[in-house]
Amino acid sequence: MSRTSPHEHHEHHEHHEMTEVSRRGLLRTAGGLTAALAVGGSAAALAGTPAGAAPATFTHPGMLHNGGDINRAKVRVAAGDEPWLSGWNRLINNSHSQSTWTPNPQATIYRGSGYPENYGILYNDIAAAYQNALRWNVAGTGANGDCAVRILNAWSNTLTSIQGSADRFLAAGIYGWEFANAAELMRGYPGFDLARFQRMMLNVFYPMNNDFLLHHNGACITNYWANWDLCNMASVMAIGILCDDGAKYDQAVNYFKSGAGNGSIQHAVPFLYPNVGGYDLGQWQESGRDQGHTMMGMGQMGAICEMAWNQGQDLYSYDSRRFFKGAQYVAKYNIGLDVPFTTYTWGSGTTCAQNSQTVISSVSRGQVRPVWALLHFHYNRRLYLDDKYISQMYYNLVAPEGGGGDYGSTSGGYDQLGFGTLMYAK
């Protein structure tokens, strides 16, 4: 496997690696279809949720997709409506979505230099489980449901450990939240051993996610880039939802708001630029590094915000919509326009040796990743905000979104589950 893609992760350069609104009632009554108007209104008029408070009862399905999302895709695809049909065609034409996919479960997954890396097996099987789960949910094809469950059961019966260099924490984070999302879509399916899958998530993934967020592999707190925190936060949140574990859900939300590392919102978007040509922008923490990892950050933080949204919590708008400003900044630069940049300085290693980036990085500029539909359809169609740059990024470069297998064979193409056109278009 190539180790030269700017979107691949190498340990040696991985240094650093609005009011809460209760919307569960809205989602239930509106099926996620017409809640936008109410949510776009006065947040103060809606019931508040205590900071970091998990819902008394978790909504299922309630991670990247709620029941309304699934129903909308089902109805629209059946009717042959665009853009859902184009999104559906991307799904059914992906080799991972075929019901003949054969899982290849491993007892130990390795990621990182100096180890017999096999993590590509895992991310391919996760993509297949998720894509087959989508096909089952949207079209009701039993063969796809059976395939998704076959993959999930095979891994929960086999995987006991994730090992490697520091990159093992990336594997535990990225593949943790993605795997949990596939399982969430198959809740209640005949033959799916949910309890055993939950045990795998609690025993194999969560301890590593928790260890990284607490100790950062023994490094200076600023050593690891934002994505390292974000993927582990997303995994903790997804495991909390999958297992109806309010403490874990709260752990992820609280880290988003005030965590010590670079994944918390004020560290991930360290500099704000009000009214640049009429739009508020926010510099992303990895912008001086490269644009591949920057766009990965859009996908990881987007997943956290959407999972929280589907449990009744609005992290998308937290801290005066700080993430929206960051996403607009990233999109503006990647459609080819100039953005301001403030010198970014951080401490690395175990001694916090000082490093600085003085200019934004053009590496991987304009790279296509399926992370933008989620953001466009939230900020523009649910909240009716002018998301000029996100919108241009989505419609001009990305739409319709595919998923794992459509964006190259290396890990960067599997750092997000994709298919946002199918599942989020409104």
Side-chain angles (χ1 to χ4, degrees):
M1 179 179 293
S2 164
R3 298 292 288 166
T4 57
S5 161
H7 211 75
E8 286 289 282
H9 310 280
H10 311 260
E11 181 184 2
H12 69 267
H13 72 210
E14 287 293 2
H15 13 264
H16 14 329
E17 277 273 296
M18 316 235 51
T19 311
E20 304 292 341
V21 178
S22 173
R23 305 171 34 268
R24 295 180 67 244
L26 286 175
L27 282 177
R28 215 176 281 115
T29 55
L33 293 171
T34 55
L37 185 59
V39 176
S42 169
L46 300 170
T49 304
T57 305
F58 281 96
T59 299
H60 298 295
M63 289 191 208
L64 286 181
H65 314 301
N66 63 45
D69 295 331
I70 293 166
N71 187 61
R72 181 183 58 242
K74 187 181 298 186
V75 170
R76 294 296 200 164
V77 169
D81 294 342
E82 290 293 354
W84 299 271
L85 185 62
S86 293
W88 174 252
N89 286 333
R90 290 220 71 174
L91 174 63
I92 64 175
N93 289 321
N94 190 309
S95 64
H96 295 75
S97 79
Q98 308 311 308
S99 63
T100 51
W101 187 275
T102 304
N104 183 18
Q106 307 290 306
T108 303
I109 283 296
Y110 295 96
R111 178 168 179 168
S113 53
Y115 291 83
E117 292 190 306
N118 63 351
Y119 67 103
I121 296 171
L122 177 56
Y123 66 64
N124 276 280
D125 274 3
I126 291 172
Y130 174 73
Q131 291 178 31
N132 273 277
L134 277 187
R135 290 187 68 169
W136 154 248
N137 275 273
V138 173
T141 43
N144 292 112
D146 292 348
C147 180
V149 164
R150 198 160 57 241
I151 298 167
L152 297 170
N153 283 346
W155 280 91
S156 69
N157 191 47
T158 307
L159 182 66
T160 60
S161 179
I162 299 171
Q163 303 290 334
S165 60
D167 283 19
R168 71 190 183 275
F169 292 112
L170 289 173
I174 299 165
Y175 311 134
W177 74 260
E178 291 184 341
F179 225 168
N181 265 274
E184 177 78 354
L185 290 174
M186 300 311 297
R187 268 186 122 86
Y189 191 91
F192 176 37
D193 194 338
L194 175 62
R196 190 176 71 196
F197 195 91
Q198 288 169 325
R199 287 196 297 273
M200 176 184 71
M201 299 308 300
L202 291 169
N203 295 334
V204 179
F205 289 88
Y206 175 75
M208 295 184 68
N209 306 146
N210 182 56
D211 182 60
F212 185 79
L213 293 176
L214 289 177
H215 304 118
H216 289 86
N217 202 30
C220 179
I221 191 62
T222 53
N223 182 75
Y224 287 95
W225 302 91
N227 273 307
W228 290 67
D229 272 357
L230 288 169
C231 66
N232 282 286
M233 293 154 63
S235 184
V236 170
M237 177 175 282
I239 292 168
I241 296 168
L242 186 75
C243 299
D244 295 296
D245 186 331
K248 290 179 176 55
Y249 175 88
D250 284 349
Q251 179 184 3
V253 170
N254 289 331
Y255 201 99
F256 176 93
K257 293 178 176 179
S258 58
N262 283 319
S264 61
I265 184 64
Q266 292 192 3
H267 295 142
V269 186
F271 305 113
L272 298 177
Y273 305 100
N275 194 14
V276 178
Y279 294 88
D280 294 342
L281 305 177
Q283 183 171 316
W284 186 254
Q285 191 260 343
E286 302 199 42
S287 295
R289 180 191 180 194
D290 67 66
Q291 297 309 307
H293 285 96
T294 293
M295 276 185 268
M296 177 187 175
M298 300 299 99
Q300 309 290 314
M301 186 170 277
I304 291 167
C305 290
E306 186 68 15
M307 289 190 288
W309 178 265
N310 284 328
Q311 296 303 330
Q313 212 159 20
D314 187 4
L315 298 182
Y316 278 116
S317 295
Y318 184 74
D319 194 14
S320 304
R321 298 198 184 105
R322 198 178 187 102
F323 179 38
F324 177 55
K325 297 168 187 176
Q328 283 273 83
Y329 177 97
V330 173
K332 183 176 183 180
Y333 182 68
N334 280 282
I335 59 175
L337 302 175
D338 291 336
V339 293
F341 187 86
T342 299
T343 295
Y344 182 73
T345 301
W346 74 97
S348 65
T350 55
T351 61
C352 288
Q354 292 296 293
N355 307 264
S356 289
Q357 292 161 340
T358 57
V359 293
I360 193 168
S361 172
S362 61
V363 174
S364 307
R365 189 177 189 181
Q367 187 177 70
V368 174
R369 295 288 180 202
V371 302
W372 296 102
L374 175 74
L375 303 181
H376 168 63
F377 289 110
H378 176 77
Y379 288 115
N380 182 264
R381 300 297 173 86
R382 280 182 184 150
L383 302 190
Y384 300 109
L385 299 175
D386 179 358
D387 66 336
K388 177 178 181 177
Y389 306 116
I390 293 170
S391 179
Q392 289 182 26
M393 186 79 195
Y394 171 65
Y395 287 109
N396 298 345
L397 274 76
V398 183
E401 279 187 356
D406 291 321
Y407 300 93
S409 62
T410 56
S411 67
Y414 294 80
D415 285 345
Q416 49 281 309
L417 291 167
F419 301 104
T421 301
L422 171 66
M423 298 308 296
Y424 299 120
K426 296 174 178 64

